[in-house]
Amino acid sequence: MSKTIEIRVPDIGDFVKVPVIEILASAGDQIEAEQSLITLESDKATMEVPAPFTGTLLELTVSEGDELTEGDVIGRMEIASDDDSDDSQSRDADTDAASAAAPDAAEKSDVETSHQATAQVETFANEGGTTESQAAGQVPTPAEPFAEMDVPASDLPHASPGVRKLARELGISLEGITGTGRKGRITDEDLSAAIKSQMGGGGAGLAVAAAPVVDFASFGPVETVALSRIKKISGPALHRNWVSIPHVTQFAEADITEMEDFRQAQKDVAAQAGTKMTPVVFIIKAVVASLKAFPHFNASLTPDGGSLIHKHYFHIGVAVDTPGGLVVPVLRDCDQKGFIELAQELTELSQRARDGKLSADEMKGGCFTISSLGGIGGTEFTPIINAPELAILGVSKAQVKPIWDGEDFEPRLMLPLSLSYDHRVIDGADAARFITHLGHQLEDLRRLL
Ligand code: CAO
């Protein structure tokens, strides 16, 4: 004989109206006692609501986004009528707690009062670690861990206990996995994608030994300082781009002697317009001309990697060094703007970047990025592509060099350029053509103007 029971949210401490973020089972599923049915997530913790008994799930009456409180019905299941609270496969249900949590359950005539299992709780601060009770194979009872649960959400990755458990079992760190779920939560799919990516196409693999954990304090005084918010956001993206895009960097030098003479001559004009004519503005124009000549640089791969999306607009990102870290505001429609207008926009955007006042939209939509360290120094560097863009130009400090003109060495102002490109799409020969074309734009002012 079988009977139908309601499944209710068990004691979840002081939490009320906790959103459902994951549905883990479907009607018709054969469910084991303790099997997780749904995941709830508050700002402080994720909690899985397990099945109270072994049986067949008849229905789940909640959806993602619903907000639940202790005692709320989440569905019904059919269990063997002798599958009672003393069934060895089932958790003991605390009927007092159940009726306290579900006072209206007794009013249902066709449905037994629900038996409640204990929510499995994991705080966000528990990543990578295993509580003592978990290590002992126990499900924490609400009474003790809920008191400790009220810890502030840390910057550790958000993931359901199920995802964390699987990641632990597979020895995969959740650090560095970009969550696509609500509030950046790492979902099952994100974990699978990370595992696939770590296994790498062709088995090249990204599985590397974990970085050594060093007790620096044993060598001398130390201080731990949290990374800036910008670095915490940009770090995983840079890491992803670095490991997932086959980068090659092509170097070249452009003779900008004439360009620099012209720029110096234009300084007053720019000053009258309330701005500063920097080399970066000329480089933006040269990049636009080169993107027009080599349209497959102004493109992005489709997510399946099988096609290119060509862009018919010219939005250029410029990396700006700010006290909090690197940000990349995007100057839109650079093909339609003059030098003075671009100079004004660059000055305004980079100032707002340094003041931390850029909006997220102002950092979106770029086709190609320029990273200029020319005002600082260094000879050349290998910039990391700003995915989903296909290439990035690094600019270093121009220097006067003796250049052989066929008869003599002439002092010329040479600008070092570094073009990193996605070798899945761009061949080395194309990159050499692109950077040569770019150099010619900068060398021949008539083309640029
Ligand atoms: N060669 C020689 N001098 C250069 C130069 C170059 N390639 N580029 C700029 N300069 C000069 C400028 O002309 C300016 O001198 P004057 O005042 O005499 O004209 C001086 O260096 C200072 O320039 P700047 O770097 O402050 O300003 P900019 O307009 O050239 O660049 C910006 C603007 C926003 C790109 C820059 O300020 C910046 O933030 N650069 C850092 C970007 C970065 O961090 N990239 C790294 C990414 S990877 O981590």
Side-chain angles (χ1 to χ4, degrees):
M1 243 185 90
S2 63
K3 62 182 176 184
T4 300
I5 62 152
E6 280 181 337
I7 311 162
R8 289 175 180 262
V9 177
D11 179 0
I12 50 172
D14 293 337
F15 289 83
V16 289
K17 293 194 160 193
V18 187
V20 177
I21 53 153
E22 213 171 6
I23 302 287
L24 304 168
S26 319
D29 286 357
Q30 288 304 310
I31 302 289
E32 294 292 322
E34 295 300 340
Q35 184 176 332
S36 298
L37 300 176
I38 60 170
T39 308
L40 308 178
E41 185 179 271
S42 76
D43 286 344
K44 308 246 168 50
T46 54
M47 298 159 256
E48 292 195 355
V49 176
F53 294 109
T54 297
T56 307
L57 184 64
L58 298 176
E59 62 170 346
L60 280 179
T61 49
V62 293
S63 316
E64 281 181 23
D66 287 356
E67 294 183 338
L68 302 178
T69 302
E70 178 184 332
D72 286 348
V73 175
I74 66 162
R76 291 182 309 131
M77 67 185 295
E78 190 175 69
I79 60 169
S81 58
D82 59 347
D83 194 354
D84 216 325
S85 58
D86 54 4
D87 186 309
S88 59
Q89 280 189 294
S90 308
R91 283 189 48 76
D92 279 322
D94 179 340
T95 42
D96 286 340
S99 45
D104 60 343
E107 291 163 28
K108 309 264 180 194
S109 55
D110 54 338
V111 175
E112 291 282 326
T113 301
S114 68
H115 292 264
Q116 304 225 349
T118 310
Q120 300 177 43
V121 179
E122 186 147 347
T123 63
F124 293 152
N126 199 24
E127 154 60 14
T130 312
T131 63
E132 273 178 34
S133 57
Q134 283 167 331
Q138 300 160 1
V139 177
T141 56
E144 353 127 336
F146 282 5
E148 296 165 12
M149 202 169 69
D150 204 19
V151 294
S154 75
D155 291 312
L156 291 164
H158 296 189
S160 71
V163 169
R164 286 168 193 285
K165 183 164 174 279
L166 184 59
R168 274 198 297 273
E169 282 168 5
L170 295 172
I172 303 241
S173 167
L174 294 179
E175 289 288 348
I177 298 182
T178 306
T180 59
R182 192 175 149 269
K183 293 189 196 164
R185 220 166 136 276
I186 297 166
T187 62
D188 276 353
E189 289 73 27
D190 298 330
L191 184 61
S192 309
I195 292 166
K196 276 186 201 148
S197 141
Q198 289 201 9
M199 289 172 75
L206 293 173
V208 290
V213 178
V214 177
D215 177 15
F216 300 105
S218 66
F219 302 110
V222 295
E223 182 189 1
T224 303
V225 180
L227 288 179
S228 69
R229 193 181 60 84
I230 290 174
K231 288 205 165 120
K232 281 183 188 161
I233 295 169
S234 61
L238 285 165
H239 185 209
R240 179 202 58 211
N241 296 346
W242 179 245
V243 299
S244 66
I245 301 172
H247 281 69
V248 179
T249 305
Q250 171 68 58
F251 301 101
E253 281 184 329
D255 183 339
I256 58 163
T257 313
E258 284 176 29
M259 188 197 96
E260 183 58 15
D261 291 344
F262 178 77
R263 191 178 75 86
Q264 293 297 342
Q266 291 298 307
K267 270 191 164 177
D268 287 348
V269 180
Q272 278 164 23
T275 188
K276 204 178 133 190
M277 187 67 76
T278 83
V280 175
V281 173
F282 293 80
I283 295 162
I284 292 174
K285 278 299 195 188
V287 162
V288 168
S290 306
L291 291 176
K292 283 185 176 173
F294 300 90
H296 60 294
F297 279 71
N298 191 9
S300 288
L301 276 169
T302 50
D304 65 2
S307 310
L308 272 188
I309 299 168
H310 286 268
K311 297 158 200 170
H312 299 300
Y313 51 85
F314 298 87
H315 302 343
I316 308 297
V318 177
V320 178
D321 178 36
T322 78
L326 181 72
V327 292
V328 186
V330 175
L331 285 83
R332 306 207 175 251
D333 300 314
C334 295
D335 56 323
Q336 294 165 32
K337 292 176 180 164
F339 285 76
I340 294 288
E341 193 177 354
L342 285 174
Q344 285 169 329
E345 216 173 295
L346 178 64
T347 308
E348 196 256 330
L349 277 175
S350 52
Q351 189 52 52
R352 280 202 294 118
R354 292 190 175 104
D355 294 342
K357 290 187 177 152
L358 285 182
S359 70
D361 280 351
E362 287 173 310
M363 292 181 271
K364 284 183 185 159
C367 305
F368 184 101
T369 296
I370 297 169
S371 177
S372 172
L373 295 174
I376 302 169
T379 49
E380 59 254 314
F381 64 107
T382 54
I384 298 178
I385 297 164
N386 191 11
E389 296 166 18
L390 294 179
I392 178 168
L393 184 72
V395 181
S396 299
K397 191 173 180 64
Q399 287 183 53
V400 176
K401 292 188 175 178
I403 301 296
W404 183 251
D405 68 1
E407 291 178 0
D408 279 313
F409 281 105
E410 287 288 326
R412 308 293 297 179
L413 185 62
M414 304 302 291
L415 179 71
L417 302 171
S418 316
L419 177 75
S420 292
Y421 57 92
D422 185 337
H423 207 349
R424 291 172 300 181
V425 177
I426 296 166
D427 294 333
D430 280 345
R433 287 186 195 105
F434 183 95
I435 203 166
T436 303
H437 188 273
L438 181 70
H440 287 161
Q441 304 302 306
L442 295 170
E443 285 165 2
D444 186 346
L445 268 184
R446 282 163 305 174
R447 293 188 213 215
L448 206 57
L449 295 171

